[in-house]
């Protein structure tokens, strides 16, 4: 009986953690200065639960960052299954841009040495995701062969500098089309 309770508590704790991370991502997107207590309240957990999972604000920021990068990287196959390769490239880079805009809002929290280690550890999976998308595009003749994922990432960097809102999103789509023409 005690064993079942432990498993249920672990599942409950995992659900709390997932809820906190989801709420924190949204909260940081809205206001990078949002308090930990406000995040706990929005997640429907007590401050103690939040701090048990994430003892510091930096711990929470890094967990949100890692989860979002992982989600983005893992989405590549599904996006390719649902879209032609060039459309998949568009969809994925627009998602990356939305994430990076939130990341920039986290500012100082991602500037510590510990944070830089985490950020640096996500570079390889992001490059692999881009490589996968480019290879799919290359296989159907949509982009020229031999494109370097790091170059393409650098080129697409404009996406996270556009203004927020509908006008910025429209500009991002227009300029994305110009960039994609350069990949052909």
């Amino acid at each position: 009986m005690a064993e079942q309770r432990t498993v249920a508590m672990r599942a409950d704790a995992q659900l709390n953690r997932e809820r906190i991370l989801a709420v924190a991502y949204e909260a940081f997107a809205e206001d990078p200065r949002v308090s930990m207590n406000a995040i706990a309240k929005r997640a429907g957990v007590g401050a103690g639960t939040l701090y048990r999972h994430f003892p510091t604000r930096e711990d929470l920021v890094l967990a949100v960052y890692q989860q979002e990068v992982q989600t983005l990287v893992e989405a590549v196959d599904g996006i390719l299954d649902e879209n032609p390769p060039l459309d998949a490239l568009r969809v994925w880079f627009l998602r990356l841009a939305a994430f990076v805009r939130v990341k920039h809002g986290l500012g100082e929290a991602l500037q510590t040495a510990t944070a830089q280690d985490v950020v640096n550890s996500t570079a390889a999976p992001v490059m692999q995701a881009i490589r996968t998308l480019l290879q799919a595009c290359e296989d159907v003749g949509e982009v020229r062969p031999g494109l370097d994922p790091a170059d393409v990432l650098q080129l697409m960097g404009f996406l996270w500098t556009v203004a927020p809102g509908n006008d910025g999103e429209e500009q991002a789509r227009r300029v994305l089309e110009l960039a994609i023409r350069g990949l052909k």
Side-chain angles (χ1 to χ4, degrees):
M1 190 72 140
E3 188 174 313
Q4 287 179 332
R5 186 171 182 203
T6 302
V7 171
M9 287 175 52
R10 287 185 185 155
D12 184 50
Q14 183 62 33
L15 288 174
N16 283 340
R17 179 179 167 74
E18 290 170 7
R19 191 170 339 122
I20 291 166
L21 288 171
V23 165
Y25 179 80
E26 292 173 14
F28 289 140
E30 293 167 12
D31 178 8
R33 297 172 310 273
V34 66
S35 73
M36 295 284 279
N37 287 336
I39 291 170
K41 185 175 181 178
R42 284 175 69 167
V45 300
T49 298
L50 176 95
Y51 284 104
R52 195 168 26 261
H53 287 284
F54 308 102
T56 68
R57 181 181 184 81
E58 180 183 29
D59 292 329
L60 179 58
V61 168
L62 292 177
V64 167
Y65 176 82
Q66 286 178 302
Q67 178 177 317
E68 290 306 311
V69 169
Q70 180 180 351
T71 299
L72 189 62
V73 167
E74 290 174 353
V76 168
D77 290 336
I79 294 170
L80 280 167
D81 287 345
E82 296 171 8
N83 298 279
L86 199 57
D87 287 345
L89 184 78
R90 288 179 179 99
V91 167
W92 192 84
F93 268 107
L94 290 171
R95 286 186 189 177
L96 176 64
F99 167 67
V100 171
R101 283 192 292 275
V102 171
K103 176 187 161 229
H104 284 302
L106 302 179
E108 289 178 19
L110 290 175
Q111 300 306 315
T112 67
T114 301
Q116 283 307 300
D117 288 344
V118 170
V119 170
N120 292 341
S121 74
T122 61
V126 168
M127 287 302 150
Q128 183 56 49
I130 296 169
R131 186 175 290 106
T132 299
L133 289 161
L134 289 173
Q135 187 61 57
C137 290
E138 186 179 320
D139 289 348
V140 296
E142 292 286 348
V143 301
R144 66 178 174 263
L147 292 170
D148 183 326
D151 292 347
V152 174
L153 180 61
Q154 183 71 29
L155 174 66
M156 297 301 184
F158 74 87
L159 285 168
W160 34 94
T161 64
V162 297
N166 291 337
D167 289 344
E169 288 176 21
E170 186 55 39
Q171 182 184 33
R173 291 181 196 289
R174 286 192 315 268
V175 180
L176 178 60
E177 290 310 310
L178 293 173
I180 286 175
R181 284 187 209 141
L183 302 177
K184 291 186 174 191

